[in-house]
Amino acid sequence: RRHRRRDGPVIRVAGLIAAAALTLASCGGSGESGETLPDVDITGLESGDSILLSDIEGPAVVNLWATWCAPCRAEIPDFEEVHRARRAEVRFVGINVGEDPAVAAGFIEEVGATYDQFADLDGEVSTELQATSMPVTVVIDEDGVITTRHLGPLDQQGLDEAIDEALAVSSS
């Protein structure tokens, strides 16, 4: 016999409203705030070398992902395709959040992603970027200013549009 909770629909509606507000607050962005990537150490999945995230020069696409995140797994092949088509225009950086680097590197090899991959073992990048779920994609212009912050998966068209916006800001 099933028991129904009376507050179920109210909680679901409240959750949907909160998710919509968060999405509106975190998707896109004009870069007018002058916000840049945080000074957080990330470690190369293959090299093991540590760099500061803030040292990444733009224009660049920075994508936070995890192997347990189904939307992340689904979008990485699209990111690879856009990377191959636009690598002369924009740098691509993947950052695996909170997982064993060997697990992350194995997945990247499996899907054939060739752009730079790093590890954020402690989740500090996602904390600094106020990412409440994954995937998260941040695009910076040539000055390192964040022009787009997108929470959730991006398809090729959405990614191309975000890159075009960063390049337009860079050229103006």
Side-chain angles (χ1 to χ4, degrees):
R1 184 174 188 197
R2 291 186 179 164
H3 296 283
R4 291 188 177 210
R5 292 184 63 185
R6 293 183 186 152
D7 61 350
V10 172
I11 290 172
R12 279 191 294 257
V13 170
L16 289 172
I17 291 170
L22 180 61
T23 301
L24 289 173
S26 63
C27 288
S30 63
E32 293 172 9
S33 69
E35 185 183 3
T36 58
L37 295 173
D39 290 331
V40 176
D41 284 321
I42 53 176
T43 305
L45 279 184
E46 288 188 12
S47 69
D49 294 338
S50 184
I51 68 164
L52 279 177
L53 179 60
S54 59
D55 285 344
I56 292 174
E57 295 181 4
V61 172
V62 178
N63 179 250
L64 280 61
W65 62 275
T67 60
W68 52 261
C69 165
C72 301
R73 295 174 73 93
E75 79 177 357
I76 289 175
D78 284 344
F79 276 52
E80 175 63 17
E81 196 163 321
V82 176
H83 160 68
R84 288 177 188 243
R86 301 191 73 170
R87 69 176 134 217
E89 299 172 274
V90 63
R91 180 178 181 186
F92 276 70
V93 175
I95 302 176
N96 176 269
V97 179
E99 294 185 290
D100 179 327
V103 170
F107 171 72
I108 289 301
E109 185 176 328
E110 177 185 316
V111 297
T114 60
Y115 52 94
D116 296 335
Q117 296 290 333
F118 294 87
D120 174 26
L121 297 175
D122 301 325
E124 193 175 353
V125 173
S126 56
T127 299
E128 289 291 322
L129 291 175
Q130 300 172 353
T132 55
S133 65
M134 284 196 277
V136 174
T137 303
V138 175
V139 182
I140 61 171
D141 66 15
E142 69 182 13
D143 296 322
V145 175
I146 295 173
T147 58
T148 299
R149 179 191 318 253
H150 184 87
L151 179 64
L154 265 176
D155 60 13
Q156 289 180 25
Q157 180 180 348
L159 184 54
D160 275 325
E161 289 169 1
I163 292 168
D164 290 343
E165 180 182 339
L167 295 175
V169 169
S170 296
S171 65
S172 58

